[in-house]
Amino acid sequence: MGLSSDMAKPVSEQSVPHVPVLLAEVLEALAPLAGARIVDGTFGAGGYSRALLQAGAAVVAIDRDPRVRPFAAALSAEFPSRFSFVAGAFAELDELAAGPVDGVVLDIGVSSMQLDEAERGFSFMREGPLDMRMAAEGESAADLVNGLDEATLANLLFAYGEERKSRRIAHSIVAARASAPIRTTAELARLIEKAIGRKPGDAHPATRSFQALRIAVNDEFGQLVDGLFASERLLGEGGRLAVVTFHSLEDRIVKRFLDPEKGAPTQSRHLPQVVVEAPRWIDVAKAVKPGAAETARNPRARSAILRAARRSSAPARAANIERLGVPRVRGAA
Ligand SMILES: C[S@@+](CC[C@H](N)C(=O)[O-])C[C@H]1O[C@@H](n2cnc3c(N)ncnc32)[C@H](O)[C@@H]1O
């Protein structure tokens, strides 16, 4: 896959950088001291990494989208001794970076560059191939839309997009693809609008379905859960975790992960007596949302939620998704 014309330009000439969301709040949560080692698991255009480097920290940045490389190259040139970039998925961040580290930040979801590049297929507002793969590998959204059986497709739209009209949409998709495969974002968006209608003032009727497909294509819940447990293993005692999410399904996972009652068993199933485990996370902060000034400046920040905590001295748990409220698609393999 080649670079879009914009990404092929030097970083300084690119027209649409990603505006970092809740930047001041993330920095406050990570409290980067000079010499601190911090992992930025979702590098994007490097907004967080740059601010952390400017505060004196050393940063290992990770991203699975090969198109962020020009942004990483710019920071490598500017901070050669304190910045490094590793291509990969943050689910494996404890294998991609050496621990213990002082901070981990995850800014989940898509970047403005991904949304704005029509040929990536993330946006129903831009005509492009129905792709949605961040890492340019694996099944695309078109593969799911044209390949899943009707019930599984409906369950996916419901579980990952909270789309209440999922059955009607899945039925229309299956009827349409019987004559020809659905290949583009605009085709799918039109089909969904026709299936469930559009109320003036409401979000586009394809919003939830596109979210669901993007989550499935990129295994976003699996990545989030694995990334959280990997952070638990990688952070040293007192190390700080900051996670920014963009919808309630993800936020619920982070909230439960940090909650000692939900995230860690307090009672062994195999022993009669109650086993109280020391919490892995301390100083768990209340959720932080952007203020009116930030959402006016950057509408994409609207649904962001930051959660932060510090790592205790208790040993990391074995990864276990029970209790985290991860949505499941009925019927999927
Ligand atoms: C919202 S953007 C991050 C923006 C960044 N904080 C900034 O200030 O520019 C999310 C980035 O994370 C990457 N990403 C999403 N899921 C990932 C995963 N599981 N592993 C690695 N990178 C991921 C995306 O490719 C995207 O570049």
Side-chain angles (χ1 to χ4, degrees):
M1 194 187 298
L3 291 176
S4 74
S5 56
D6 201 39
M7 285 292 282
K9 293 176 188 168
V11 174
S12 56
E13 289 172 25
Q14 285 167 19
S15 52
V16 209
H18 177 94
V19 180
V21 171
L22 287 168
L23 178 60
E25 293 82 353
V26 164
L27 282 183
E28 195 183 327
L30 293 172
L33 298 173
R37 294 184 61 234
I38 298 187
V39 176
D40 178 353
T42 49
F43 176 72
Y48 291 174
S49 284
R50 172 174 289 282
L52 292 164
L53 289 161
Q54 284 167 344
V59 175
V60 177
I62 297 169
D63 204 295
R64 64 177 168 183
D65 186 343
R67 294 191 183 204
V68 306
R69 281 182 182 278
F71 298 105
L75 281 187
S76 293
E78 215 174 315
F79 301 94
S81 62
R82 287 194 282 125
F83 177 76
S84 58
F85 176 79
V86 192
F90 63 64
E92 289 148 20
L93 58 81
D94 60 333
E95 287 162 30
L96 301 177
V101 297
D102 304 298
V104 171
V105 59
L106 300 175
D107 181 12
I108 306 298
V110 273
S111 68
S112 298
M113 293 83 72
Q114 289 165 335
L115 277 175
D116 292 344
E117 287 167 16
E119 77 274 16
R120 307 296 302 269
F122 284 104
S123 172
F124 51 79
M125 298 198 292
R126 290 167 208 277
E127 170 76 303
L130 204 47
D131 189 327
M132 302 195 194
R133 291 171 302 169
M134 289 183 189
E137 62 188 23
E139 279 190 319
S140 69
D143 293 330
L144 297 183
V145 162
N146 294 302
L148 291 179
D149 65 76
E150 185 175 329
T152 307
L153 192 52
N155 291 341
L156 187 153
L157 300 180
F158 183 74
Y160 290 175
E162 299 180 289
E163 173 56 72
R164 282 181 295 128
K165 295 173 181 162
S166 55
R167 298 204 181 286
R168 230 188 295 164
I169 295 172
H171 190 71
S172 296
I173 289 174
V174 169
R177 77 188 190 196
S179 34
I182 299 158
R183 296 199 191 281
T184 74
T185 50
E187 238 180 287
L188 180 62
R190 274 196 304 272
L191 200 149
I192 294 173
E193 186 172 350
K194 215 167 137 206
I196 64 173
R198 181 175 197 169
K199 283 199 202 130
D202 278 4
H204 189 286
T207 306
R208 289 171 180 278
S209 299
F210 270 62
Q211 172 188 306
L213 288 168
R214 196 199 83 207
I215 288 171
V217 164
N218 296 291
D219 182 26
E220 292 184 29
F221 293 130
Q223 285 285 316
L224 175 57
V225 169
D226 289 350
L228 291 171
F229 282 108
S231 303
E232 188 167 298
R233 294 189 291 272
L234 187 67
L235 281 163
E237 180 179 353
R240 293 163 187 266
L241 173 68
V243 186
V244 177
T245 59
F246 288 85
H247 54 81
S248 56
L249 297 174
E250 285 170 347
D251 180 54
R252 181 176 68 193
I253 293 172
V254 181
K255 185 175 177 208
R256 292 192 181 187
F257 174 79
L258 294 174
D259 179 343
E261 294 296 317
K262 296 260 168 37
T266 49
Q267 186 170 5
S268 164
R269 281 196 208 133
H270 311 292
L271 294 172
Q273 76 269 32
V274 172
V275 179
V276 179
E277 292 197 15
R280 273 69 179 184
W281 297 97
I282 52 175
D283 299 342
V284 179
K286 281 210 174 108
V288 176
K289 296 182 183 176
E294 177 166 2
T295 49
R297 217 172 44 239
N298 180 14
R300 283 182 184 165
R302 226 175 17 236
S303 47
I305 302 181
L306 164 67
R307 292 192 183 270
R310 295 178 69 206
R311 186 72 176 83
S312 74
S313 60
R317 289 164 284 183
N320 175 9
I321 70 164
E322 298 300 319
R323 301 161 190 258
L324 296 184
V326 180
R328 287 174 199 272
V329 178
R330 282 190 298 128

